[in-house]
Amino acid sequence: MAEQTKRIFGIDLGTTYSSIAYVDEYGKAVIIPNAENERVTPSVVFFDDESIVVGDVAKESSKLYPNEVVSFVKRSMGEPNFLFLHNSEEYRAEEISAYILKKLAQDAEQFLGEKVTDVVITCPAYFGINEREATRKAGEIAGFNVRHIINEPTAAAIAYGSLDSNDERVVLVYDLGGGTFDITMIDIRKDSVEVICTGGDHNLGGKDWDDRIVAHMVELFQSETGTDEDILDDPDTWQDLQLSAEKAKKILSQRPKTPISVTHGGERVKMVISREKFEEITEDLMERTIDFTKEMLEEAKNKGYKSFDEFILVGGATRMPQIKARIEETFSVNPKVYDPDEAVAKGAAIYGWKLGLNDGLIQRLSQKTNKPIEQIDDISVMIESNELSAQDFKEAAQEVADATGYTLPSIERSMLKVKNVTSKSFGVVAHTPQDDEIVFNIVLRNTTVPISLKKNFYTAVQDQKTVLIRIMESETSRVEIPLDHAVEIKTAVLNLPPNLPADLPIEITFTLNEEGRLHITAMEKTAARQIDVMVDTASVIQGEDLERAKARSQNLVVH
Amino acid sequence: MQRENYYIILELSVDPPENDREVIEKAIQNKKIEWSRLRNHPTKGLQIQKYINMIPDIQFVMQDDKLRAEEALAAAEFIESGRENKISEIDSHIDILMGKGYISKEDIIRLAEIHGLSQGDINERIASKKNAKYVRVDQFINLRMGKGYISEDEVIKIAKKNGMTPEEIRNRIRCPIVKDDKDIDHLKIQPLDKSIEKAITDNLKVVGKTSLYNFLGLAETCELKQLQEKAGKKKKELATIGKKDAVLTASVTLAGQCQTIFKTNETRIAYDVSLARAKLAALDSDINIAAINKKIRHEYFDALINKAMEYGMDKDEASSYIQTYCQNKKYRIEKKPEKKRFRLMIAAASVLLVLIIVAGFMAFSKIHHRNVIESEYQDLIKKVDAERAPDQKLLLLKKYVTTNANSEYAADARNRISQIELQINSTEFGKILQQADQLVQAQKLDEGFTLLNQALEKTSEPENKKIISQRIKNVSELIEKRDFEELSAVSLKGDADQKIEIYKKYLTTHPNGKNKAEVQALIDKMSDEYFIYVSKTLASYEQSEQWEDCARLCQSYIDIYDNSHSDQLKQLIPKYQENIRNEKIYDALVDKVNRLGTDYKAAIQIFKDYLAAYPKTSITEKINKNIDRLNGLMSVQNSNQAAYNLRLQFAKTKGRFVEKPEGVIVDTKTGLMWCMLDSTIIKPGVCFTYEEGKSYTEVLTTGGFSDWRLPTPQELAEIYKTDPAFPATGKTSYWTSESYSGYSDGWQIQVTTFSSEDSIHWETAKKNALECGVVRPVRNP
Ligand SMILES: Nc1ncnc2c1ncn2[C@@H]1O[C@H](COP(=O)(O)OP(=O)(O)OP(=O)(O)O)[C@@H](O)[C@H]1O
Ligand SMILES: [Mg+2]
């Protein structure tokens, strides 16, 4: 079998656990175990003297070398002021994430005996523009050709939808992972996966449940020993408790109580935590997920989706029995727990696989029709408009099938359409005639992407040199909002050509691509001149820093 | 909320202020690294995240010379005020250490060490302490509030101690004041889980609030419902803020916590208690100070007790509190020679006493001696025999059986009982009694009561009358007991109106009830609570214009209380009655208008006349709505009229403009189709902003078409500026499809309009999208 298409891997880069998957020769998505023969790898990075260790060993090391270990780095993606210092070298979140990706890829290469070059990486639906860009940069630093960034719930839905591809249905994906909560309504059709609405919080996940247990253990320790000391000030103790809390939480999903012990300053206190107590101290966290779900359902109603067919649970933290019970009680449905740890990576792999097959199709069609590859983008649209003949398509599909060994229907289905929405609104800072600063939203959240919008800007004075555009992100659905209800994510500077008159319209085009990343171009309309736009994002690694990180990553050994 | 000072956060020198840019940059960089590490700390994470989010502002302020100088000044002030706080803390520690009669050199060294001051500073404080008198009323109150309530006695005590009036004290208290400690027995409280408490405290710290009450902006004495509502509202409010930073996350979490904590009275009280516990922390820190090498000298112990008493505890409370605390902390309390023991014995004895009382009930029957039992039974039989009424006989025997169920004479007693019962039941009268007894047994007290009363009326026999009366008395006592129990249950967790209702009911059904005084007291105590309820309910009645209910509710308060609240309510009643009258007038007006049919103008006039005579009454708004409605109807009438006039004019355009289908004018020159009526005719007097104009166009279905749009300026020019022109009337300004983003910095939306002052000369102009304009929709054929 002459493999014509490039293999594209799917990577779930999670807050607490990551995994990698591919589609095997039978068209089935499978997880690739790591060198330790585990199907998921803890997203923990340990900076050892000479090398970098990722995974279980790193996680266990956090107790001994708390200051050399980074966990939950995904929560800091897109955070401009995150900085990890090791041996007087500074590392940003993207770079640390890149090491996790490298580890996954290396182990997969070892396992399959083939190089990992092209990947699809997932990120929470609730990630904003910068976080998405940071995710892509992490992949680039790791040395990959990042084919696509897709949303975790979308990936889960693809994996879920691929089970039985004839059924059309609207599903709610409730994804409670280690660090983020996403609630997404997805319309699964035969040849498309369409996101209707999304909501959530990327600071709400299994870790928050762990933190409550940690706090509880600290209290018990204090009352048992009569000390007032905050034992979490000791990094060793903190890490130790963090790990035991997670273990305890997992046990409590199975059993009504679990013993646990805290050791600090030579004192050891044994305690028992019951499921009841656990649920009591975390109730409000669960309620928040329910609130988000209700809000999202309201928004979906505005889009004409008044009901859903299925409620599926993904993400490791949905294993906590109270979650399922609460959902049953609130929404009167029977939620399905669907492959909570692996669905996302598998869905990403399936998506990557389809991208690969589609590439093959396009290549062949281009040969057949003598059209350049760039001209063939959306095959199904082109067939409909008779730009391509159905006959050519059939032949091309058959050839791809022959070359790859996959069945003809699976090749034909590879033209899966994924429609996504933005999880946040974005806009620009504008001045009202009263000269108050406000945010003027250009794209409201839950708008389908890709989307391109043009806004005119008028020069204020003659020979204006620059225009400063402050790009703001927010979580409302209103057009004008106060400045402090939004976060500044980027600034763009337009460098205008000299000697422009005042009041000249400049057309600025804001494009959110299908990944939810933002591009800005500008044009001076009267002379149809392209205008130079410089986008500055301190929040995402770029320029020299990016190059340095790439170089550093190439020379690094990751275990 | 005031934000933290950057000098202090960055740990920079304040005196003299650090001004070296490099040093400051380095400090910021170090903080970045430190905070990045702590970013995911289980309890401090949120606070840290808040700091991380502050970095851009920190950089901004610290790089600006002027702002930085201000920051340094603020830091200096802050440190100064911290010093003042510290002084009162030192004073209280000095008090404690002086408890043994003197302050040793060692003590001074220790205090200096603890507070990071020189020994000279401490000595200075001691000197000034000697003649200073410190008012600590609030401390007294806070400590007592620790229980979740304050008793009237305590108020008076505190007042006396501080030379203030009880009223002044009450004004400072932010928790319920009860008459009597006994009222609180039901407050068996499960304290809040400590880690929840900690989570709340941490989050409060992030948002800069002191308690959940403070967070919601409500008083600690607020009703549960109000707290819940506010929490819900707060949550919704927060959801509209489009930015999830640390403060917002903390706020959302807090709002959620409010919802769980203020779900039931129990959880709320649990929270109140933990709030109070926090207030006890002051005393705890005093104890810690007194503990040198984990040992508390007996002089200190006494001083601590005095201290605690000074805070407001009584002696036993104080001693047991301190002892428990020390036990937990593993502090040893040094024994005081001899006397000390005595005190401990008292404490032990009081515990024993409680145990004895509890155990006593159980032990009672067992410790009776056999002889006692025998003679007691014989005495009973004598008494029974002496009694003439069989009913009374039964009563004595039954009582014996229930209290001596296992005695050897119980069988005999039971025997006698059944004999007597047989006797009684043989008579008609007996049957009624039996029936009544059965009812009572089945807890159907009221039915039993009625039955007995009926029997009483029927009997003439004085002996039987007496028996029945006795039973009636018993049953009514049972009813009273039951009602009172029910009432007590309601009094614990009911809403104000439920409580009042049941209290009133009790007083009417049991005018001489055993607990009359107590219920009356409950009612008296509720005068404020019920007033709050009444005011709130009035507000909602007013909202829905239930005036009769308003008046009734006021009256119900006035009937019960005679106080300043009732005076206030009395003044409201005439207003409500006025409104009730107005409602009647309104009904009459509507009636009159309805009879006028389609003569909308006359109908409007009727309403307008009324408004002219009575410009502001409770029905003004409704009338205005009606006028609006009639105006709408009239505009339909008018537009029909306008259409008629227009059609006459279209007929004169030599066939250029033809109506097809109805309401749609086709320009035969261009083929474009226009709405015959523009928005001024369809909605006279309505201002259409640009956006409104667009949506007006979008939803329009004139002629059965749904693809209406705004015309371009050129299209409008074509119909108005070329002959034969579209008929026009007066001054108009049409919105066109041409708009520009153009805030004052370039983004404000500007729209091209097509306007005329005289319907002859037309020109295009630019106008802010928020102004008013007219819409003349067009569609392509
Ligand atoms: N049996 C279990 N009971 C409770 N929690 C569990 C269980 N198993 C895993 N978890 C929790 O699920 C979380 C990990 O889930 P998952 O791997 O889906 O998240 P992630 O992909 O790392 O994070 P995210 O998707 O938020 O970035 C962890 O917090 C883990 O402790
Ligand atoms: Mg995940």
Side-chain angles (χ1 to χ4, degrees), chain A residues 18-30:
Chain A
S18 299
S19 52
I20 183 167
Y22 78 115
V23 173
D24 67 11
E25 48 271 49
Y26 311 107
K28 191 165 165 283
V30 287

mmCIF file with all atom_site columns, all heavy atoms in Angstrom, chain A residues 18-30:
data_model
loop_
_atom_site.group_PDB
_atom_site.id
_atom_site.type_symbol
_atom_site.label_atom_id
_atom_site.label_alt_id
_atom_site.label_comp_id
_atom_site.label_asym_id
_atom_site.label_entity_id
_atom_site.label_seq_id
_atom_site.pdbx_PDB_ins_code
_atom_site.Cartn_x
_atom_site.Cartn_y
_atom_site.Cartn_z
_atom_site.occupancy
_atom_site.B_iso_or_equiv
_atom_site.pdbx_formal_charge
_atom_site.auth_seq_id
_atom_site.auth_comp_id
_atom_site.auth_asym_id
_atom_site.auth_atom_id
_atom_site.pdbx_PDB_model_num
ATOM 1  N N   . SER A 1 18 ? -2.399  14.819 29.157 1.00 0.00 ? 18 SER A N   1
ATOM 2  C CA  . SER A 1 18 ? -2.405  14.986 27.710 1.00 0.00 ? 18 SER A CA  1
ATOM 3  C C   . SER A 1 18 ? -2.315  13.617 27.063 1.00 0.00 ? 18 SER A C   1
ATOM 4  O O   . SER A 1 18 ? -1.860  12.653 27.683 1.00 0.00 ? 18 SER A O   1
ATOM 5  C CB  . SER A 1 18 ? -1.218  15.829 27.267 1.00 0.00 ? 18 SER A CB  1
ATOM 6  O OG  . SER A 1 18 ? -1.310  17.104 27.855 1.00 0.00 ? 18 SER A OG  1
ATOM 7  N N   . SER A 1 19 ? -2.743  13.550 25.797 1.00 0.00 ? 19 SER A N   1
ATOM 8  C CA  . SER A 1 19 ? -2.606  12.279 25.106 1.00 0.00 ? 19 SER A CA  1
ATOM 9  C C   . SER A 1 19 ? -2.540  12.516 23.609 1.00 0.00 ? 19 SER A C   1
ATOM 10 O O   . SER A 1 19 ? -2.881  13.594 23.113 1.00 0.00 ? 19 SER A O   1
ATOM 11 C CB  . SER A 1 19 ? -3.764  11.356 25.457 1.00 0.00 ? 19 SER A CB  1
ATOM 12 O OG  . SER A 1 19 ? -4.974  12.013 25.245 1.00 0.00 ? 19 SER A OG  1
ATOM 13 N N   . ILE A 1 20 ? -2.093  11.496 22.903 1.00 0.00 ? 20 ILE A N   1
ATOM 14 C CA  . ILE A 1 20 ? -1.933  11.601 21.461 1.00 0.00 ? 20 ILE A CA  1
ATOM 15 C C   . ILE A 1 20 ? -2.588  10.386 20.808 1.00 0.00 ? 20 ILE A C   1
ATOM 16 O O   . ILE A 1 20 ? -2.547  9.292  21.363 1.00 0.00 ? 20 ILE A O   1
ATOM 17 C CB  . ILE A 1 20 ? -0.429  11.715 21.083 1.00 0.00 ? 20 ILE A CB  1
ATOM 18 C CG1 . ILE A 1 20 ? -0.250  11.893 19.570 1.00 0.00 ? 20 ILE A CG1 1
ATOM 19 C CG2 . ILE A 1 20 ? 0.358   10.507 21.576 1.00 0.00 ? 20 ILE A CG2 1
ATOM 20 C CD1 . ILE A 1 20 ? 1.167   12.330 19.190 1.00 0.00 ? 20 ILE A CD1 1
ATOM 21 N N   . ALA A 1 21 ? -3.213  10.610 19.643 1.00 0.00 ? 21 ALA A N   1
ATOM 22 C CA  . ALA A 1 21 ? -3.891  9.513  18.971 1.00 0.00 ? 21 ALA A CA  1
ATOM 23 C C   . ALA A 1 21 ? -3.661  9.608  17.472 1.00 0.00 ? 21 ALA A C   1
ATOM 24 O O   . ALA A 1 21 ? -3.252  10.643 16.962 1.00 0.00 ? 21 ALA A O   1
ATOM 25 C CB  . ALA A 1 21 ? -5.392  9.566  19.268 1.00 0.00 ? 21 ALA A CB  1
ATOM 26 N N   . TYR A 1 22 ? -3.904  8.493  16.782 1.00 0.00 ? 22 TYR A N   1
ATOM 27 C CA  . TYR A 1 22 ? -3.858  8.521  15.318 1.00 0.00 ? 22 TYR A CA  1
ATOM 28 C C   . TYR A 1 22 ? -4.923  7.566  14.803 1.00 0.00 ? 22 TYR A C   1
ATOM 29 O O   . TYR A 1 22 ? -5.544  6.840  15.573 1.00 0.00 ? 22 TYR A O   1
ATOM 30 C CB  . TYR A 1 22 ? -2.471  8.136  14.810 1.00 0.00 ? 22 TYR A CB  1
ATOM 31 C CG  . TYR A 1 22 ? -2.176  6.657  14.839 1.00 0.00 ? 22 TYR A CG  1
ATOM 32 C CD1 . TYR A 1 22 ? -1.967  5.945  13.649 1.00 0.00 ? 22 TYR A CD1 1
ATOM 33 C CD2 . TYR A 1 22 ? -2.118  5.964  16.042 1.00 0.00 ? 22 TYR A CD2 1
ATOM 34 C CE1 . TYR A 1 22 ? -1.685  4.583  13.669 1.00 0.00 ? 22 TYR A CE1 1
ATOM 35 C CE2 . TYR A 1 22 ? -1.846  4.610  16.063 1.00 0.00 ? 22 TYR A CE2 1
ATOM 36 C CZ  . TYR A 1 22 ? -1.630  3.916  14.894 1.00 0.00 ? 22 TYR A CZ  1
ATOM 37 O OH  . TYR A 1 22 ? -1.366  2.575  14.907 1.00 0.00 ? 22 TYR A OH  1
ATOM 38 N N   . VAL A 1 23 ? -5.132  7.589  13.497 1.00 0.00 ? 23 VAL A N   1
ATOM 39 C CA  . VAL A 1 23 ? -6.111  6.694  12.917 1.00 0.00 ? 23 VAL A CA  1
ATOM 40 C C   . VAL A 1 23 ? -5.362  5.548  12.252 1.00 0.00 ? 23 VAL A C   1
ATOM 41 O O   . VAL A 1 23 ? -4.476  5.773  11.427 1.00 0.00 ? 23 VAL A O   1
ATOM 42 C CB  . VAL A 1 23 ? -6.999  7.437  11.904 1.00 0.00 ? 23 VAL A CB  1
ATOM 43 C CG1 . VAL A 1 23 ? -7.907  6.455  11.175 1.00 0.00 ? 23 VAL A CG1 1
ATOM 44 C CG2 . VAL A 1 23 ? -7.822  8.493  12.621 1.00 0.00 ? 23 VAL A CG2 1
ATOM 45 N N   . ASP A 1 24 ? -5.682  4.329  12.648 1.00 0.00 ? 24 ASP A N   1
ATOM 46 C CA  . ASP A 1 24 ? -4.901  3.193  12.154 1.00 0.00 ? 24 ASP A CA  1
ATOM 47 C C   . ASP A 1 24 ? -5.352  2.790  10.747 1.00 0.00 ? 24 ASP A C   1
ATOM 48 O O   . ASP A 1 24 ? -6.234  3.422  10.159 1.00 0.00 ? 24 ASP A O   1
ATOM 49 C CB  . ASP A 1 24 ? -4.983  2.016  13.126 1.00 0.00 ? 24 ASP A CB  1
ATOM 50 C CG  . ASP A 1 24 ? -6.375  1.418  13.191 1.00 0.00 ? 24 ASP A CG  1
ATOM 51 O OD1 . ASP A 1 24 ? -7.213  1.775  12.331 1.00 0.00 ? 24 ASP A OD1 1
ATOM 52 O OD2 . ASP A 1 24 ? -6.632  0.598  14.082 1.00 0.00 ? 24 ASP A OD2 1
ATOM 53 N N   . GLU A 1 25 ? -4.732  1.744  10.228 1.00 0.00 ? 25 GLU A N   1
ATOM 54 C CA  . GLU A 1 25 ? -5.004  1.411  8.827  1.00 0.00 ? 25 GLU A CA  1
ATOM 55 C C   . GLU A 1 25 ? -6.429  0.921  8.601  1.00 0.00 ? 25 GLU A C   1
ATOM 56 O O   . GLU A 1 25 ? -6.893  0.821  7.470  1.00 0.00 ? 25 GLU A O   1
ATOM 57 C CB  . GLU A 1 25 ? -3.990  0.391  8.297  1.00 0.00 ? 25 GLU A CB  1
ATOM 58 C CG  . GLU A 1 25 ? -3.753  -0.800 9.175  1.00 0.00 ? 25 GLU A CG  1
ATOM 59 C CD  . GLU A 1 25 ? -2.626  -0.543 10.174 1.00 0.00 ? 25 GLU A CD  1
ATOM 60 O OE1 . GLU A 1 25 ? -2.671  0.516  10.840 1.00 0.00 ? 25 GLU A OE1 1
ATOM 61 O OE2 . GLU A 1 25 ? -1.718  -1.383 10.292 1.00 0.00 ? 25 GLU A OE2 1
ATOM 62 N N   . TYR A 1 26 ? -7.163  0.627  9.692  1.00 0.00 ? 26 TYR A N   1
ATOM 63 C CA  . TYR A 1 26 ? -8.559  0.211  9.513  1.00 0.00 ? 26 TYR A CA  1
ATOM 64 C C   . TYR A 1 26 ? -9.510  1.394  9.652  1.00 0.00 ? 26 TYR A C   1
ATOM 65 O O   . TYR A 1 26 ? -10.717 1.228  9.684  1.00 0.00 ? 26 TYR A O   1
ATOM 66 C CB  . TYR A 1 26 ? -8.925  -0.872 10.528 1.00 0.00 ? 26 TYR A CB  1
ATOM 67 C CG  . TYR A 1 26 ? -7.895  -1.979 10.552 1.00 0.00 ? 26 TYR A CG  1
ATOM 68 C CD1 . TYR A 1 26 ? -7.008  -2.096 11.618 1.00 0.00 ? 26 TYR A CD1 1
ATOM 69 C CD2 . TYR A 1 26 ? -7.778  -2.853 9.477  1.00 0.00 ? 26 TYR A CD2 1
ATOM 70 C CE1 . TYR A 1 26 ? -6.040  -3.084 11.624 1.00 0.00 ? 26 TYR A CE1 1
ATOM 71 C CE2 . TYR A 1 26 ? -6.814  -3.843 9.475  1.00 0.00 ? 26 TYR A CE2 1
ATOM 72 C CZ  . TYR A 1 26 ? -5.942  -3.964 10.546 1.00 0.00 ? 26 TYR A CZ  1
ATOM 73 O OH  . TYR A 1 26 ? -4.987  -4.927 10.533 1.00 0.00 ? 26 TYR A OH  1
ATOM 74 N N   . GLY A 1 27 ? -8.940  2.564  9.800  1.00 0.00 ? 27 GLY A N   1
ATOM 75 C CA  . GLY A 1 27 ? -9.781  3.753  9.919  1.00 0.00 ? 27 GLY A CA  1
ATOM 76 C C   . GLY A 1 27 ? -10.292 3.973  11.334 1.00 0.00 ? 27 GLY A C   1
ATOM 77 O O   . GLY A 1 27 ? -11.238 4.710  11.551 1.00 0.00 ? 27 GLY A O   1
ATOM 78 N N   . LYS A 1 28 ? -9.627  3.355  12.291 1.00 0.00 ? 28 LYS A N   1
ATOM 79 C CA  . LYS A 1 28 ? -10.100 3.484  13.664 1.00 0.00 ? 28 LYS A CA  1
ATOM 80 C C   . LYS A 1 28 ? -9.136  4.357  14.459 1.00 0.00 ? 28 LYS A C   1
ATOM 81 O O   . LYS A 1 28 ? -7.916  4.233  14.321 1.00 0.00 ? 28 LYS A O   1
ATOM 82 C CB  . LYS A 1 28 ? -10.142 2.080  14.275 1.00 0.00 ? 28 LYS A CB  1
ATOM 83 C CG  . LYS A 1 28 ? -10.842 2.004  15.588 1.00 0.00 ? 28 LYS A CG  1
ATOM 84 C CD  . LYS A 1 28 ? -11.157 0.543  15.909 1.00 0.00 ? 28 LYS A CD  1
ATOM 85 C CE  . LYS A 1 28 ? -11.528 0.365  17.349 1.00 0.00 ? 28 LYS A CE  1
ATOM 86 N NZ  . LYS A 1 28 ? -10.408 0.381  18.256 1.00 0.00 ? 28 LYS A NZ  1
ATOM 87 N N   . ALA A 1 29 ? -9.695  5.242  15.298 1.00 0.00 ? 29 ALA A N   1
ATOM 88 C CA  . ALA A 1 29 ? -8.831  6.112  16.092 1.00 0.00 ? 29 ALA A CA  1
ATOM 89 C C   . ALA A 1 29 ? -8.312  5.343  17.301 1.00 0.00 ? 29 ALA A C   1
ATOM 90 O O   . ALA A 1 29 ? -9.090  4.721  18.018 1.00 0.00 ? 29 ALA A O   1
ATOM 91 C CB  . ALA A 1 29 ? -9.617  7.331  16.559 1.00 0.00 ? 29 ALA A CB  1
ATOM 92 N N   . VAL A 1 30 ? -7.003  5.392  17.492 1.00 0.00 ? 30 VAL A N   1
ATOM 93 C CA  . VAL A 1 30 ? -6.434  4.715  18.661 1.00 0.00 ? 30 VAL A CA  1
ATOM 94 C C   . VAL A 1 30 ? -5.462  5.637  19.382 1.00 0.00 ? 30 VAL A C   1
ATOM 95 O O   . VAL A 1 30 ? -4.775  6.455  18.779 1.00 0.00 ? 30 VAL A O   1
ATOM 96 C CB  . VAL A 1 30 ? -5.691  3.409  18.283 1.00 0.00 ? 30 VAL A CB  1
ATOM 97 C CG1 . VAL A 1 30 ? -6.644  2.317  17.918 1.00 0.00 ? 30 VAL A CG1 1
ATOM 98 C CG2 . VAL A 1 30 ? -4.698  3.669  17.165 1.00 0.00 ? 30 VAL A CG2 1
#
